Amino acid sequence: MEWNIAFMGAVGSGKTTAIATVSDIDCLDTEVAYYEGGPQSKPTTTVALDMGVLELGQGDRLRLQGAPGQQRFDYMWEILLLQAQAVVVLVHAGPQAQAELDFYLGQVHKLMAAQGRSVPIVVGVTHVQNRAVDLHLDSTAACPCHQCRPPILPVDARERASVVQLLQVVTALLEVSVRQPEPALHRWLGQAGAGVVMQ
């Protein structure tokens, strides 16, 4: 079985790094230098997509596809979400985390609603190393039922074990979504521990 996982999030949230960290193939990326006005901490930006593969064994794999963070490339968001069976939203820890999360969850919901479907979502909070940060973000905007609250995990995009842990949660939700009809899945996500902060 193959599952396509879309990574979304703001510029500098760690999408390219996370995919490169766990990919079992040479990661395809479309990083180019900023012309002007880019953050000094990140001299390049994704303009189309990042792509990697995580082999799960016995022929199963995750195809990891990272979307550009800049809104001017938002046409790629729709293209990648058309193929996605699940979404990882990465947000940069800090005072802007909730605003970033609300924006990207809203975009995922809008684009998925246009397709007439929903997919499991997991939130990863990056850049938490050696920082006292509040991981208790509100993720209820992910679903119009207001019951589903995607799991929120701290993740170090540079550490394979950390990104793999995030993807293990994604695959667990995918397996549940295959077995459960959608209303039951929503109830499960709302009541059975989804939305908890996992540290």
Side-chain angles (χ1 to χ4, degrees):
M1 181 176 292
E2 293 188 358
W3 281 319
N4 288 334
I5 314 298
F7 281 67
M8 295 189 67
V11 173
S13 60
K15 303 179 298 293
T16 299
T17 301
I19 292 172
T21 295
V22 297
S23 180
D24 292 317
I25 65 170
D26 289 339
C27 186
L28 166 69
D29 69 57
T30 56
E31 292 277 295
V32 299
Y34 278 101
Y35 284 114
E36 59 183 18
Q40 292 183 349
S41 61
K42 190 175 190 296
T44 61
T45 187
T46 299
V47 296
L49 79 160
D50 303 308
M51 184 176 295
V53 173
L54 178 60
E55 298 289 350
L56 303 178
Q58 299 181 337
D60 296 337
R61 61 182 54 88
L62 300 180
R63 295 195 177 275
L64 313 173
Q65 300 175 333
Q70 295 187 67
Q71 293 183 47
R72 61 182 170 146
F73 301 122
D74 62 1
Y75 61 90
M76 285 300 302
W77 301 352
E78 182 174 4
I79 292 170
L80 294 182
L81 289 176
L82 277 170
Q83 305 172 50
Q85 279 90 43
V87 176
V88 171
V89 176
L90 296 183
V91 296
H92 193 297
Q96 78 294 338
Q98 186 65 60
E100 285 184 10
L101 182 58
D102 289 343
F103 175 76
Y104 284 98
L105 289 179
Q107 294 300 305
V108 172
H109 169 60
K110 179 181 74 173
L111 294 169
M112 285 298 177
Q115 298 176 23
R117 66 190 185 102
S118 60
V119 297
I121 299 171
V122 174
V123 177
V125 182
T126 60
H127 302 89
V128 298
Q129 298 76 27
N130 302 316
R131 296 179 60 183
V133 295
D134 182 9
L135 295 180
H136 293 83
L137 301 172
D138 180 5
S139 60
T140 54
C143 184
C145 77
H146 300 297
Q147 295 182 63
C148 300
R149 291 173 296 161
I152 300 171
L153 295 83
V155 60
D156 186 339
R158 304 164 301 176
E159 296 290 335
R160 181 177 176 87
S162 183
V163 181
V164 166
Q165 181 185 42
L166 181 77
L167 292 172
Q168 286 172 333
V169 176
V170 174
T171 55
L173 292 179
L174 280 166
E175 289 171 352
V176 172
S177 71
V178 169
R179 296 195 307 268
Q180 297 276 15
E182 189 164 311
L185 176 63
H186 288 263
R187 287 193 298 273
W188 186 85
L189 286 170
Q191 299 170 6
V196 305
V197 175
M198 308 175 76
Q199 300 190 31

